PDB file of all heavy atoms in Angstrom:
ATOM      1  N   VAL N   8      89.122  99.914  87.489  1.00  0.00           N
ATOM      2  CA  VAL N   8      89.110 100.873  88.541  1.00  0.00           C
ATOM      3  C   VAL N   8      89.866 100.252  89.751  1.00  0.00           C
ATOM      4  O   VAL N   8      89.556  99.110  90.126  1.00  0.00           O
ATOM      5  CB  VAL N   8      87.668 101.251  88.991  1.00  0.00           C
ATOM      6  CG1 VAL N   8      87.652 102.169  90.173  1.00  0.00           C
ATOM      7  CG2 VAL N   8      87.055 101.942  87.832  1.00  0.00           C
ATOM      8  N   GLN N   9      90.788 100.932  90.325  1.00  0.00           N
ATOM      9  CA  GLN N   9      91.544 100.392  91.440  1.00  0.00           C
ATOM     10  C   GLN N   9      91.423 101.302  92.613  1.00  0.00           C
ATOM     11  O   GLN N   9      91.249 102.549  92.410  1.00  0.00           O
ATOM     12  CB  GLN N   9      92.972 100.219  91.050  1.00  0.00           C
ATOM     13  CG  GLN N   9      93.171  99.179  89.976  1.00  0.00           C
ATOM     14  CD  GLN N   9      94.709  99.000  89.649  1.00  0.00           C
ATOM     15  OE1 GLN N   9      95.400  99.962  89.344  1.00  0.00           O
ATOM     16  NE2 GLN N   9      95.120  97.730  89.502  1.00  0.00           N
ATOM     17  N   THR N  10      91.647 100.842  93.828  1.00  0.00           N
ATOM     18  CA  THR N  10      91.610 101.639  95.117  1.00  0.00           C
ATOM     19  C   THR N  10      92.868 101.299  95.868  1.00  0.00           C
ATOM     20  O   THR N  10      93.393 100.257  95.805  1.00  0.00           O
ATOM     21  CB  THR N  10      90.405 101.360  95.859  1.00  0.00           C
ATOM     22  OG1 THR N  10      90.262 102.267  96.940  1.00  0.00           O
ATOM     23  CG2 THR N  10      90.358  99.868  96.382  1.00  0.00           C
ATOM     24  N   SER N  11      93.315 102.370  96.709  1.00  0.00           N
ATOM     25  CA  SER N  11      94.449 102.238  97.514  1.00  0.00           C
ATOM     26  C   SER N  11      94.293 103.133  98.717  1.00  0.00           C
ATOM     27  O   SER N  11      93.481 104.122  98.647  1.00  0.00           O
ATOM     28  CB  SER N  11      95.721 102.662  96.721  1.00  0.00           C
ATOM     29  OG  SER N  11      96.849 102.674  97.640  1.00  0.00           O
ATOM     30  N   THR N  12      94.931 102.820  99.750  1.00  0.00           N
ATOM     31  CA  THR N  12      95.026 103.707 100.977  1.00  0.00           C
ATOM     32  C   THR N  12      96.349 104.320 101.165  1.00  0.00           C
ATOM     33  O   THR N  12      96.457 105.333 101.978  1.00  0.00           O
ATOM     34  CB  THR N  12      94.636 102.852 102.235  1.00  0.00           C
ATOM     35  OG1 THR N  12      95.574 101.840 102.459  1.00  0.00           O
ATOM     36  CG2 THR N  12      93.232 102.307 102.196  1.00  0.00           C
ATOM     37  N   ASN N  13      97.221 104.029 100.243  1.00  0.00           N
ATOM     38  CA  ASN N  13      98.680 104.589 100.494  1.00  0.00           C
ATOM     39  C   ASN N  13      99.304 104.940  99.150  1.00  0.00           C
ATOM     40  O   ASN N  13     100.513 105.341  99.225  1.00  0.00           O
ATOM     41  CB  ASN N  13      99.575 103.578 101.239  1.00  0.00           C
ATOM     42  CG  ASN N  13      99.637 102.222 100.520  1.00  0.00           C
ATOM     43  OD1 ASN N  13      99.260 102.077  99.330  1.00  0.00           O
ATOM     44  ND2 ASN N  13     100.108 101.270 101.270  1.00  0.00           N
ATOM     45  N   LEU N  14      98.582 104.894  98.156  1.00  0.00           N
ATOM     46  CA  LEU N  14      99.145 105.222  96.717  1.00  0.00           C
ATOM     47  C   LEU N  14     100.308 104.258  96.335  1.00  0.00           C
ATOM     48  O   LEU N  14     101.018 104.554  95.313  1.00  0.00           O
ATOM     49  CB  LEU N  14      99.604 106.709  96.648  1.00  0.00           C
ATOM     50  CG  LEU N  14      98.532 107.695  96.603  1.00  0.00           C
ATOM     51  CD1 LEU N  14      99.163 109.145  96.712  1.00  0.00           C
ATOM     52  CD2 LEU N  14      97.730 107.566  95.301  1.00  0.00           C
ATOM     53  N   LYS N  15     100.520 103.138  97.008  1.00  0.00           N
ATOM     54  CA  LYS N  15     101.461 102.212  96.677  1.00  0.00           C
ATOM     55  C   LYS N  15     100.829 100.824  96.322  1.00  0.00           C
ATOM     56  O   LYS N  15     101.302 100.257  95.366  1.00  0.00           O
ATOM     57  CB  LYS N  15     102.558 102.027  97.848  1.00  0.00           C
ATOM     58  CG  LYS N  15     103.331 103.322  98.124  1.00  0.00           C
ATOM     59  CD  LYS N  15     104.339 102.971  99.294  1.00  0.00           C
ATOM     60  CE  LYS N  15     105.203 104.286  99.537  1.00  0.00           C
ATOM     61  NZ  LYS N  15     106.034 104.054 100.763  1.00  0.00           N
ATOM     62  N   ASP N  16      99.955 100.335  97.190  1.00  0.00           N
ATOM     63  CA  ASP N  16      99.266  99.134  96.960  1.00  0.00           C
ATOM     64  C   ASP N  16      97.917  99.239  96.384  1.00  0.00           C
ATOM     65  O   ASP N  16      97.065  99.884  97.089  1.00  0.00           O
ATOM     66  CB  ASP N  16      99.260  98.336  98.296  1.00  0.00           C
ATOM     67  CG  ASP N  16     100.664  98.177  98.957  1.00  0.00           C
ATOM     68  OD1 ASP N  16     101.589  97.709  98.333  1.00  0.00           O
ATOM     69  OD2 ASP N  16     100.827  98.529 100.239  1.00  0.00           O
ATOM     70  N   TRP N  17      97.825  98.799  95.176  1.00  0.00           N
ATOM     71  CA  TRP N  17      96.506  99.050  94.535  1.00  0.00           C
ATOM     72  C   TRP N  17      95.727  97.664  94.355  1.00  0.00           C
ATOM     73  O   TRP N  17      96.299  96.660  94.088  1.00  0.00           O
ATOM     74  CB  TRP N  17      96.703  99.570  93.072  1.00  0.00           C
ATOM     75  CG  TRP N  17      97.266 100.958  93.202  1.00  0.00           C
ATOM     76  CD1 TRP N  17      98.577 101.384  93.315  1.00  0.00           C
ATOM     77  CD2 TRP N  17      96.505 102.206  93.265  1.00  0.00           C
ATOM     78  NE1 TRP N  17      98.733 102.737  93.357  1.00  0.00           N
ATOM     79  CE2 TRP N  17      97.406 103.276  93.373  1.00  0.00           C
ATOM     80  CE3 TRP N  17      95.138 102.446  93.311  1.00  0.00           C
ATOM     81  CZ2 TRP N  17      97.023 104.558  93.487  1.00  0.00           C
ATOM     82  CZ3 TRP N  17      94.750 103.782  93.434  1.00  0.00           C
ATOM     83  CH2 TRP N  17      95.664 104.833  93.490  1.00  0.00           C
ATOM     84  N   VAL N  18      94.355  97.747  94.559  1.00  0.00           N
ATOM     85  CA  VAL N  18      93.608  96.594  94.341  1.00  0.00           C
ATOM     86  C   VAL N  18      92.569  96.951  93.396  1.00  0.00           C
ATOM     87  O   VAL N  18      91.831  97.962  93.332  1.00  0.00           O
ATOM     88  CB  VAL N  18      92.847  96.176  95.684  1.00  0.00           C
ATOM     89  CG1 VAL N  18      91.854  95.030  95.435  1.00  0.00           C
ATOM     90  CG2 VAL N  18      93.900  95.818  96.749  1.00  0.00           C
ATOM     91  N   THR N  19      92.383  95.996  92.358  1.00  0.00           N
ATOM     92  CA  THR N  19      91.276  96.275  91.331  1.00  0.00           C
ATOM     93  C   THR N  19      89.917  95.896  91.906  1.00  0.00           C
ATOM     94  O   THR N  19      89.771  94.741  92.430  1.00  0.00           O
ATOM     95  CB  THR N  19      91.606  95.454  90.060  1.00  0.00           C
ATOM     96  OG1 THR N  19      92.852  95.776  89.535  1.00  0.00           O
ATOM     97  CG2 THR N  19      90.437  95.566  89.024  1.00  0.00           C
ATOM     98  N   VAL N  20      89.037  96.828  91.799  1.00  0.00           N
ATOM     99  CA  VAL N  20      87.669  96.612  92.374  1.00  0.00           C
ATOM    100  C   VAL N  20      86.663  96.455  91.413  1.00  0.00           C
ATOM    101  O   VAL N  20      85.516  95.977  91.579  1.00  0.00           O
ATOM    102  CB  VAL N  20      87.345  97.647  93.416  1.00  0.00           C
ATOM    103  CG1 VAL N  20      88.172  97.615  94.597  1.00  0.00           C
ATOM    104  CG2 VAL N  20      87.404  99.146  92.731  1.00  0.00           C
ATOM    105  N   LEU N  21      87.046  96.790  90.073  1.00  0.00           N
ATOM    106  CA  LEU N  21      85.998  96.733  88.986  1.00  0.00           C
ATOM    107  C   LEU N  21      86.690  96.821  87.677  1.00  0.00           C
ATOM    108  O   LEU N  21      87.603  97.574  87.521  1.00  0.00           O
ATOM    109  CB  LEU N  21      84.944  97.851  89.101  1.00  0.00           C
ATOM    110  CG  LEU N  21      83.864  97.989  88.022  1.00  0.00           C
ATOM    111  CD1 LEU N  21      82.854  96.787  88.189  1.00  0.00           C
ATOM    112  CD2 LEU N  21      83.147  99.342  88.042  1.00  0.00           C
ATOM    113  N   THR N  22      86.144  96.032  86.736  1.00  0.00           N
ATOM    114  CA  THR N  22      86.505  96.163  85.348  1.00  0.00           C
ATOM    115  C   THR N  22      85.216  96.393  84.596  1.00  0.00           C
ATOM    116  O   THR N  22      84.215  95.689  84.852  1.00  0.00           O
ATOM    117  CB  THR N  22      87.259  94.992  84.733  1.00  0.00           C
ATOM    118  OG1 THR N  22      86.552  93.801  84.783  1.00  0.00           O
ATOM    119  CG2 THR N  22      88.638  94.787  85.437  1.00  0.00           C
ATOM    120  N   ASN N  23      85.159  97.282  83.599  1.00  0.00           N
ATOM    121  CA  ASN N  23      84.004  97.549  82.865  1.00  0.00           C
ATOM    122  C   ASN N  23      84.372  98.175  81.539  1.00  0.00           C
ATOM    123  O   ASN N  23      85.462  98.458  81.233  1.00  0.00           O
ATOM    124  CB  ASN N  23      83.184  98.502  83.712  1.00  0.00           C
ATOM    125  CG  ASN N  23      81.575  98.355  83.422  1.00  0.00           C
ATOM    126  OD1 ASN N  23      81.257  97.956  82.459  1.00  0.00           O
ATOM    127  ND2 ASN N  23      80.845  98.768  84.477  1.00  0.00           N
ATOM    128  N   THR N  24      83.231  98.388  80.706  1.00  0.00           N
ATOM    129  CA  THR N  24      83.383  98.980  79.465  1.00  0.00           C
ATOM    130  C   THR N  24      83.024 100.412  79.478  1.00  0.00           C
ATOM    131  O   THR N  24      82.047 100.821  80.030  1.00  0.00           O
ATOM    132  CB  THR N  24      82.457  98.350  78.467  1.00  0.00           C
ATOM    133  OG1 THR N  24      82.642  96.862  78.508  1.00  0.00           O
ATOM    134  CG2 THR N  24      82.507  98.871  77.048  1.00  0.00           C
ATOM    135  N   VAL N  25      83.906 101.281  79.041  1.00  0.00           N
ATOM    136  CA  VAL N  25      83.783 102.738  78.988  1.00  0.00           C
ATOM    137  C   VAL N  25      82.657 103.162  78.108  1.00  0.00           C
ATOM    138  O   VAL N  25      82.634 102.599  76.960  1.00  0.00           O
ATOM    139  CB  VAL N  25      85.154 103.362  78.630  1.00  0.00           C
ATOM    140  CG1 VAL N  25      85.069 104.854  78.487  1.00  0.00           C
ATOM    141  CG2 VAL N  25      86.272 102.948  79.499  1.00  0.00           C
ATOM    142  N   PRO N  26      81.811 104.019  78.463  1.00  0.00           N
ATOM    143  CA  PRO N  26      81.812 104.768  79.706  1.00  0.00           C
ATOM    144  C   PRO N  26      80.949 104.078  80.750  1.00  0.00           C
ATOM    145  O   PRO N  26      80.053 103.260  80.341  1.00  0.00           O
ATOM    146  CB  PRO N  26      81.090 106.130  79.274  1.00  0.00           C
ATOM    147  CG  PRO N  26      80.207 105.643  78.164  1.00  0.00           C
ATOM    148  CD  PRO N  26      80.838 104.617  77.470  1.00  0.00           C
ATOM    149  N   PHE N  27      81.279 104.343  82.030  1.00  0.00           N
ATOM    150  CA  PHE N  27      80.367 103.753  83.060  1.00  0.00           C
ATOM    151  C   PHE N  27      80.447 104.516  84.287  1.00  0.00           C
ATOM    152  O   PHE N  27      81.397 105.496  84.360  1.00  0.00           O
ATOM    153  CB  PHE N  27      80.828 102.332  83.370  1.00  0.00           C
ATOM    154  CG  PHE N  27      82.217 102.228  83.833  1.00  0.00           C
ATOM    155  CD1 PHE N  27      82.542 102.189  85.168  1.00  0.00           C
ATOM    156  CD2 PHE N  27      83.246 102.071  82.928  1.00  0.00           C
ATOM    157  CE1 PHE N  27      83.766 102.115  85.665  1.00  0.00           C
ATOM    158  CE2 PHE N  27      84.596 101.812  83.408  1.00  0.00           C
ATOM    159  CZ  PHE N  27      84.828 101.951  84.768  1.00  0.00           C
ATOM    160  N   THR N  28      79.555 104.312  85.255  1.00  0.00           N
ATOM    161  CA  THR N  28      79.557 105.039  86.565  1.00  0.00           C
ATOM    162  C   THR N  28      79.967 104.038  87.690  1.00  0.00           C
ATOM    163  O   THR N  28      79.359 102.983  87.741  1.00  0.00           O
ATOM    164  CB  THR N  28      78.243 105.713  86.874  1.00  0.00           C
ATOM    165  OG1 THR N  28      77.946 106.582  85.823  1.00  0.00           O
ATOM    166  CG2 THR N  28      78.274 106.322  88.154  1.00  0.00           C
ATOM    167  N   PHE N  29      80.950 104.436  88.412  1.00  0.00           N
ATOM    168  CA  PHE N  29      81.477 103.570  89.520  1.00  0.00           C
ATOM    169  C   PHE N  29      80.795 104.164  90.837  1.00  0.00           C
ATOM    170  O   PHE N  29      80.817 105.339  91.121  1.00  0.00           O
ATOM    171  CB  PHE N  29      82.981 103.609  89.655  1.00  0.00           C
ATOM    172  CG  PHE N  29      83.517 102.951  90.778  1.00  0.00           C
ATOM    173  CD1 PHE N  29      83.712 101.552  90.702  1.00  0.00           C
ATOM    174  CD2 PHE N  29      83.833 103.580  91.973  1.00  0.00           C
ATOM    175  CE1 PHE N  29      84.269 100.857  91.897  1.00  0.00           C
ATOM    176  CE2 PHE N  29      84.294 102.841  93.164  1.00  0.00           C
ATOM    177  CZ  PHE N  29      84.543 101.555  93.097  1.00  0.00           C
ATOM    178  N   THR N  30      80.301 103.167  91.655  1.00  0.00           N
ATOM    179  CA  THR N  30      79.694 103.605  92.990  1.00  0.00           C
ATOM    180  C   THR N  30      80.125 102.684  94.018  1.00  0.00           C
ATOM    181  O   THR N  30      80.183 101.425  93.886  1.00  0.00           O
ATOM    182  CB  THR N  30      78.110 103.533  92.871  1.00  0.00           C
ATOM    183  OG1 THR N  30      77.592 104.420  91.877  1.00  0.00           O
ATOM    184  CG2 THR N  30      77.539 103.965  94.205  1.00  0.00           C
ATOM    185  N   THR N  31      80.478 103.250  95.163  1.00  0.00           N
ATOM    186  CA  THR N  31      80.916 102.441  96.382  1.00  0.00           C
ATOM    187  C   THR N  31      80.429 103.114  97.573  1.00  0.00           C
ATOM    188  O   THR N  31      80.284 104.398  97.673  1.00  0.00           O
ATOM    189  CB  THR N  31      82.417 102.251  96.358  1.00  0.00           C
ATOM    190  OG1 THR N  31      82.723 101.311  97.436  1.00  0.00           O
ATOM    191  CG2 THR N  31      83.200 103.506  96.639  1.00  0.00           C
ATOM    192  N   ASN N  32      80.306 102.409  98.652  1.00  0.00           N
ATOM    193  CA  ASN N  32      79.974 103.037  99.880  1.00  0.00           C
ATOM    194  C   ASN N  32      81.150 103.458 100.699  1.00  0.00           C
ATOM    195  O   ASN N  32      82.143 102.614 100.947  1.00  0.00           O
ATOM    196  CB  ASN N  32      79.052 102.062 100.840  1.00  0.00           C
ATOM    197  CG  ASN N  32      78.697 102.680 102.128  1.00  0.00           C
ATOM    198  OD1 ASN N  32      79.443 102.670 103.195  1.00  0.00           O
ATOM    199  ND2 ASN N  32      77.617 103.378 102.123  1.00  0.00           N
ATOM    200  N   LYS N  33      81.214 104.759 101.115  1.00  0.00           N
ATOM    201  CA  LYS N  33      82.281 105.296 101.833  1.00  0.00           C
ATOM    202  C   LYS N  33      81.688 105.966 103.039  1.00  0.00           C
ATOM    203  O   LYS N  33      80.999 106.904 102.989  1.00  0.00           O
ATOM    204  CB  LYS N  33      83.233 106.274 101.062  1.00  0.00           C
ATOM    205  CG  LYS N  33      83.823 105.696  99.839  1.00  0.00           C
ATOM    206  CD  LYS N  33      84.627 104.483 100.112  1.00  0.00           C
ATOM    207  CE  LYS N  33      85.852 104.847 100.929  1.00  0.00           C
ATOM    208  NZ  LYS N  33      86.651 103.643 101.245  1.00  0.00           N
ATOM    209  N   SER N  34      82.093 105.476 104.292  1.00  0.00           N
ATOM    210  CA  SER N  34      81.499 106.049 105.574  1.00  0.00           C
ATOM    211  C   SER N  34      82.155 107.272 105.886  1.00  0.00           C
ATOM    212  O   SER N  34      83.301 107.638 105.340  1.00  0.00           O
ATOM    213  CB  SER N  34      81.641 105.046 106.698  1.00  0.00           C
ATOM    214  OG  SER N  34      83.032 104.975 107.067  1.00  0.00           O
ATOM    215  N   ASN N  35      81.498 108.085 106.664  1.00  0.00           N
ATOM    216  CA  ASN N  35      82.095 109.346 107.096  1.00  0.00           C
ATOM    217  C   ASN N  35      83.343 109.178 107.853  1.00  0.00           C
ATOM    218  O   ASN N  35      84.150 110.156 108.070  1.00  0.00           O
ATOM    219  CB  ASN N  35      81.104 110.129 107.952  1.00  0.00           C
ATOM    220  CG  ASN N  35      79.923 110.631 107.165  1.00  0.00           C
ATOM    221  OD1 ASN N  35      80.074 110.876 105.985  1.00  0.00           O
ATOM    222  ND2 ASN N  35      78.730 110.848 107.757  1.00  0.00           N
ATOM    223  N   ALA N  36      83.579 107.958 108.407  1.00  0.00           N
ATOM    224  CA  ALA N  36      84.849 107.697 109.244  1.00  0.00           C
ATOM    225  C   ALA N  36      86.085 107.550 108.346  1.00  0.00           C
ATOM    226  O   ALA N  36      87.180 107.623 108.843  1.00  0.00           O
ATOM    227  CB  ALA N  36      84.605 106.441 110.063  1.00  0.00           C
ATOM    228  N   ASP N  37      85.864 107.351 107.046  1.00  0.00           N
ATOM    229  CA  ASP N  37      86.995 107.093 106.155  1.00  0.00           C
ATOM    230  C   ASP N  37      87.806 108.489 105.997  1.00  0.00           C
ATOM    231  O   ASP N  37      87.320 109.471 105.670  1.00  0.00           O
ATOM    232  CB  ASP N  37      86.592 106.680 104.837  1.00  0.00           C
ATOM    233  CG  ASP N  37      86.042 105.243 104.858  1.00  0.00           C
ATOM    234  OD1 ASP N  37      86.458 104.423 105.681  1.00  0.00           O
ATOM    235  OD2 ASP N  37      85.161 105.026 103.997  1.00  0.00           O
TER     236      ASP N  37
END
């Protein structure tokens, strides 16, 4: 699973075995 703020630069935040549930905290300010 990777994340980006601009669709150009991607950072891997998790590797896991399918299937799985990904959870992260996203504030209302995002």
